């Protein structure tokens, strides 16, 4: 009965999404109607049913239904990549499998599909013919350094370099001839952070002088570039500690500076945040920092070797203090992807303080229980 229901319900176009995406509402609905539990066990039973459907479909010489892959592998890929939703089913030997994204694009990774015995140019030609018949759009090849012998054939077949990272190069070809080439650009913006570390009692600010500064002996805020997959606040705290030995905690986001024409012809985003020091004994990084010290507010705001933009950051901080404002950081999770992200938004310091007190009180009550 369940098999008959699935045959009537499933359209060939929806089969992959239904089967592979364990978070998909359609999959949940079918499991419910078929009397299967809405959990991983139910999904496995649905897998068995769909394999039976495929066998029936083939025996009746109906249009081809592709062979499904593990739904749990697909779910993991969904959680790790915003645009990839399902596996492309292998249609026949001699054609690359790849990953299908929600824009009908295909990504082939040499780490998963390299075979030294393949005639790569011939397999590529067959794959391109198939993808064109299937009306796929952007075709991406992620090629590892050790498989770089793929690259000449790819460029000969119209693929262009898109971006490179340590260990691999990504090439792309846009297939539709009657459609605007809607490709995402490669990463084009560097992200940096600066930490305005304030000793409120002494009204001093932590400053450094870079050993390789464009303006010798100039004073600025400690900071630097973010690391891959590093949150802004984590980066700011790390950079301050690496350059000065000062441990800090987040207080508020202050300002964003946006500019162009940076390293490797990229744009630049510079996030400045106020940090509260946990210690005051400076231990500078001698390789990068020539000088580091605590400087009084008044001296900093009038020092000839402090850039006007850096003075402006301190003025913003002092204005926030007078107005009782701060940019709080709250962490949340994406409803579907389960990815953690950071939200920054303005709040009254009084309101934020009251919420912290409520949390502390709730914690005490929980401890008592």
């Amino acid at each position: 009965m369940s098999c008959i229901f699935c045959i009537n319900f499933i359209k060939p176009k929806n089969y992959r999404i239904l089967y592979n995406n364990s978070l998909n509402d359609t999959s949940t609905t079918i499991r419910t109607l078929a009397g299967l539990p809405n959990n991983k066990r139910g999904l496995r039973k649905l897998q068995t049913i769909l394999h039976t459907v495929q066998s029936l479909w083939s025996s009746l010489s109906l249009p081809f239904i592709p062979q499904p892959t593990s739904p749990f592998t697909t779910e993991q890929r969904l959680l790790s990549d915003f645009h990839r939703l399902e596996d492309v089913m292998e249609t026949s030997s001699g054609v690359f499998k790849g990953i299908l994204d929600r824009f009908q694009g295909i990504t082939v990774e040499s780490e998963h599909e390299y075979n030294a015995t393949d005639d790569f140019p011939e397999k590529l030609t067959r794959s391109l013919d198939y993808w064109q018949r299937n009306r796929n759009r952007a075709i991406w090849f992620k090629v590892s350094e050790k498989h770089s012998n793929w690259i000449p054939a790819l460029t000969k077949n119209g693929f262009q370099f898109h971006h490179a990272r340590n260990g691999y190069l990504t090439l792309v070809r846009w297939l539709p001839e009657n459609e605007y080439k809607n490709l995402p650009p490669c990463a084009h913006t560097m992200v940096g952070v600066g930490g305005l570390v304030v000793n409120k009692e002494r009204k001093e600010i932590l400053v450094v002088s870079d050993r390789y500064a464009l303006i010798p002996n100039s004073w600025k805020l400690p900071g630097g570039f973010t690391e891959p997959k590093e949150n802004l606040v984590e980066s700011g705290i790390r950079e301050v500690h690496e350059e000065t030995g000062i441990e800090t905690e987040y207080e508020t986001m202050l300002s964003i500076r946006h500019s162009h024409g940076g390293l490797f012809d990229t744009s630049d985003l510079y996030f400045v945040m106020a940090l509260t020091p946990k210690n005051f004994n400076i231990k500078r990084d001698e390789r990068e920092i020539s000088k580091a010290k605590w400087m009084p507010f008044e001296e900093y705001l009038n020092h000839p070797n402090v850039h006007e933009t850096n003075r402006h950051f301190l003025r913003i901080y002092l204005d926030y203090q007078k107005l009782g404002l701060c940019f709080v950081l709250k962490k949340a999770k994406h409803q579907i992807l389960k990815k953690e992200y950071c939200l920054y938004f303005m709040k009254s310091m009084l309101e934020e303080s009251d919420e912290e007190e409520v949390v502390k009180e709730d914690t005490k009550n929980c401890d008592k229980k």
Side-chain angles (χ1 to χ4, degrees), residues 66-81:
Q67 175 69 29
T69 56
S70 165
F72 306 113
T73 301
T74 302
E75 180 179 353
Q76 291 169 358
R77 294 188 185 216
L78 171 66
L79 297 180
S80 65
D81 198 324

Side-chain angles (χ1 to χ4, degrees), residues 6-16 18 57 65:
C6 287
I7 290 175
N8 288 331
F9 189 91
I10 303 169
K11 296 179 181 178
K13 183 178 179 181
N14 294 333
Y15 177 82
R16 290 189 293 266
L18 165 68
W57 205 288
I65 289 185

Side-chain angles (χ1 to χ4, degrees), residues 28-298:
T28 302
T29 302
I30 285 189
R31 277 180 276 163
T32 302
L33 292 174
L36 301 174
N38 188 19
N39 53 29
K40 288 186 177 180
R41 182 177 296 177
L43 194 61
R44 289 192 187 97
K45 288 184 178 179
L46 180 61
Q47 175 184 4
T48 303
I49 291 171
L50 294 178
H51 275 298
T52 306
V53 171
Q54 184 177 5
S55 298
L56 278 170
W57 205 288
S58 299
S59 66
L60 294 172
S61 298
L62 294 172
F64 176 76
I65 289 185
Q67 175 69 29
T69 56
S70 165
F72 306 113
T73 301
T74 302
E75 180 179 353
Q76 291 169 358
R77 294 188 185 216
L78 171 66
L79 297 180
S80 65
D81 198 324
F82 273 98
H83 73 276
R84 295 182 186 179
L85 290 182
E86 52 174 315
D87 277 353
V88 175
M89 311 309 174
E90 191 168 350
T91 56
S92 63
S93 60
V95 175
F96 286 110
K97 178 181 176 183
I99 306 293
L100 177 67
D101 62 44
R102 60 191 172 98
F103 304 106
Q104 291 300 308
I106 303 290
T107 299
V108 176
E109 299 184 14
S110 68
E111 284 288 352
H112 301 306
E113 301 203 46
Y114 185 86
N115 188 334
T117 63
D118 281 345
D119 183 335
F120 179 75
E122 182 182 339
K123 187 172 183 178
L124 178 61
T125 299
R126 286 198 300 267
S127 299
L128 287 169
D129 288 343
Y130 171 74
W131 292 326
Q132 285 173 327
R133 291 195 306 271
N134 203 39
R135 296 185 179 181
N136 291 110
R137 301 167 82 209
I139 309 299
W140 304 84
F141 269 77
K142 182 178 177 181
V143 184
S144 297
E145 283 181 345
K146 58 188 175 184
H147 306 138
S148 59
N149 59 318
W150 277 13
I151 295 174
L154 287 167
T155 56
K156 188 176 180 180
N157 280 272
F159 283 81
Q160 297 179 323
F161 292 175
H162 186 267
H163 65 273
R165 293 287 186 274
N166 290 338
Y168 73 87
L169 171 69
T170 296
L171 301 91
V172 64
R173 176 177 165 183
W174 181 259
L175 292 185
E177 296 180 356
N178 58 349
E179 188 180 345
Y180 170 71
K181 187 186 289 188
N182 192 20
L183 293 172
C186 65
H188 52 74
T189 300
M190 304 287 280
V191 179
V193 292
L196 190 138
V197 185
V198 175
N199 182 343
K200 294 182 182 179
E201 290 184 6
R202 297 175 62 91
K203 294 185 178 181
E204 292 177 334
I205 182 174
L206 180 64
V207 294
V208 298
S209 182
D210 279 346
R211 187 172 296 280
Y212 305 103
L214 289 173
I215 305 174
N217 298 314
S218 58
W219 294 101
K220 70 176 194 68
L221 305 179
F225 289 117
T226 60
E227 298 288 346
K229 299 183 180 179
E230 185 178 46
N231 294 333
L232 293 172
V233 170
E234 293 172 351
S235 182
I237 291 172
R238 174 187 55 78
E239 281 288 345
V240 168
H241 182 258
E242 287 178 357
E243 292 186 357
T244 67
I246 302 296
E247 296 278 1
T248 59
E249 59 185 8
Y250 178 75
E251 183 178 348
T252 180
M253 193 65 69
L254 291 175
S255 182
I256 304 170
R257 186 194 68 197
H258 190 200
S259 61
H260 306 288
L263 285 174
F264 313 113
D265 199 29
T266 60
S267 298
D268 181 79
L269 276 171
Y270 179 59
F271 293 83
V272 180
M273 64 194 74
L275 301 171
T276 302
K278 295 181 178 180
N279 63 298
F280 300 95
N281 185 28
I282 296 174
K283 296 180 181 178
R284 66 181 173 86
D285 177 1
E286 296 185 0
R287 186 182 66 173
E288 293 187 14
I289 306 300
S290 61
K291 295 180 288 186
K293 68 175 185 177
W294 293 98
M295 184 179 289
F297 288 175
E298 198 63 32

Side-chain angles (χ1 to χ4, degrees), residues 308-319:
E308 178 57 30
T309 304
N310 283 312
R311 295 176 190 164
H312 183 62
F313 296 143
L314 178 56
R315 293 193 195 103
I316 293 171
Y317 174 77
L318 296 176
D319 286 343

Side-chain angles (χ1 to χ4, degrees), residues 229-235 237 250 328-334 339-345 352:
K229 299 183 180 179
E230 185 178 46
N231 294 333
L232 293 172
V233 170
E234 293 172 351
S235 182
I237 291 172
Y250 178 75
V328 297
L329 163 61
K330 299 293 182 185
K331 292 189 177 181
K333 269 192 176 179
H334 192 283
K339 279 177 170 281
E340 187 180 81
Y341 55 87
C342 298
L343 291 174
Y344 298 88
F345 52 93
E352 180 67 10

Side-chain angles (χ1 to χ4, degrees), residues 357-369:
E357 288 300 321
V358 169
V359 171
K360 288 179 183 177
E361 191 61 34
D362 288 345
T363 304
K364 288 179 183 177
N365 292 335
C366 289
D367 291 340
K368 289 177 183 177
K369 293 176 182 178

